[in-house]
Amino acid sequence: MEEPATLLAAVNDRIAAAAGLARRKPEDVTLVAISKTQPVERIAPLIAAGQRVFGENRVQEAQDKWPALREAHPDLALHLVGQLQSNKADDAVALFDCIHSLDRPSLVGALARAMDKAGRLVSCFVQVNIGAEEQKGGCAIADLPALLTEIRATAIPVAGLMCVPPAGIEAAPFFALLGKLADDNGITGLSMGMSEDFETAITLGATDVRVGSALFGARG
Ligand SMILES: *Cc1c(COP(=O)(O)O)cnc(C)c1O
C-alpha cells in the first residue's frame, strides 16, 4: 500500500490542478480527510505530513480516536460528516469543529440548545438530499428555504450546503444544482466531492471536499 504522505501529496496536487482549471485558488478549497474506520496509526502519518482537517462519520468512533490526537495537535480541526441523532448533539458540539449533516428541524433545535449550553458555536453545513433518494440523509430541496429560515433564527453559523449525489451516475449535474441552491439562498460554502469526483466538484465551486479512500486506500 502506498504511504499516506505520498497519497496526500497526490491529492493536494489534484486539488491544485482542478482549482487552477477553474481559475480558483487552491487555498480556497479545504481538504477534509475522511478518516472513518481508519486506526490512529494510519491517521498519524497524515498529520505528520501536514494535513490538519479530518472528518469522521460516527460520534462514538470519533470520541474513541480523536481526543488524544487533538491534545497532541491543538491546531487540528475535526468535522462530522455522518448522520447525527439529536440525542448525540451535546457530544457532537463538544467534539467537532464543523458539522456537515444538519438536515431537519428537530436537529436544529437540538444543536442550538447544545451550543447554547456548551457556550461554543459549531458551524454547520445544511445537507440536501440532492438526488431525492429515499434512503439518504439530507433535507428535501423543497424544504431547504424553510429549514434555512429556522437555522437563521438560531445562533448556529451556516457554513454552507452539503450533498452526497446518487452513486453510480455522473455527479456534475448534482454539484451544479447544489451550487444553484446555494446562490439562490445567499450561501457560499459548498461541501461536495469525494474520492471519485472531487476535481469535478472543485470546478463547480466546492469549498470543502471530503476525501477518504484516495488518501487512505480502500476501506476494509
Ligand atoms: C465516507 C464518506 C466520504 C469519503 O468517501 P471516499 O469515497 O472514501 O472519498 C465523504 N463523505 C461522506 C459523507 C462519507 O460518509
Side-chain angles (χ1 to χ4, degrees):
M1 201 181 298
E2 277 203 77
E3 288 300 312
T6 311
L7 296 170
L8 175 63
V11 167
N12 276 325
D13 283 350
R14 289 167 61 188
I15 288 172
L21 206 59
R23 300 291 182 269
R24 301 182 59 204
K25 296 196 209 101
E27 59 267 30
D28 292 342
V29 180
T30 298
L31 170 61
V32 184
I34 305 298
S35 51
K36 64 186 183 197
T37 77
Q38 302 296 341
V40 167
E41 304 82 70
R42 290 199 52 82
I43 298 171
L46 276 195
I47 297 174
Q51 177 62 26
R52 284 296 174 270
V53 184
F54 290 84
E56 292 280 344
N57 71 336
R58 292 220 167 100
V59 173
Q60 177 68 56
E61 181 182 343
Q63 281 174 328
D64 292 342
K65 278 156 57 175
W66 283 93
L69 288 169
R70 293 182 66 122
E71 196 156 326
H73 305 275
D75 58 338
L76 290 180
L78 190 59
H79 292 202
L80 177 67
V81 299
Q83 283 197 30
L84 178 60
Q85 292 168 292
S86 293
N87 63 9
K88 296 266 175 70
D90 287 325
D91 291 338
V93 164
L95 186 60
F96 293 97
D97 303 295
C98 182
I99 293 170
H100 291 238
S101 48
L102 178 49
D103 63 355
R104 58 191 189 277
S106 58
L107 192 53
V108 174
L111 283 172
R113 281 191 297 277
M115 289 182 205
D116 185 45
K117 206 163 27 153
R120 167 180 161 80
L121 293 178
V122 177
S123 15
C124 294
F125 284 91
V126 180
Q127 183 172 354
V128 180
N129 187 351
I130 202 75
E133 295 173 281
E134 222 156 77
Q135 74 286 7
K136 271 230 178 108
C139 81
I141 291 173
D143 297 338
L144 179 61
L147 185 60
L148 284 170
T149 301
E150 286 203 40
I151 296 167
R152 285 167 171 157
T154 73
I156 300 174
V158 176
L161 301 184
M162 178 274 203
C163 75
V164 181
I169 58 173
E170 173 59 50
F174 298 100
F175 294 153
L177 177 56
L178 195 71
K180 180 174 188 309
L181 293 171
D183 278 350
D184 290 349
N185 289 284
I187 288 171
T188 49
L190 289 171
S191 168
M192 58 188 197
M194 317 200 312
S195 291
E196 292 296 312
D197 49 27
F198 67 86
E199 289 140 310
T200 303
I202 289 168
T203 62
L204 290 166
T207 58
D208 291 63
V209 292
R210 311 179 310 267
V211 179
S213 42
L215 289 170
F216 290 101
R219 283 179 294 277

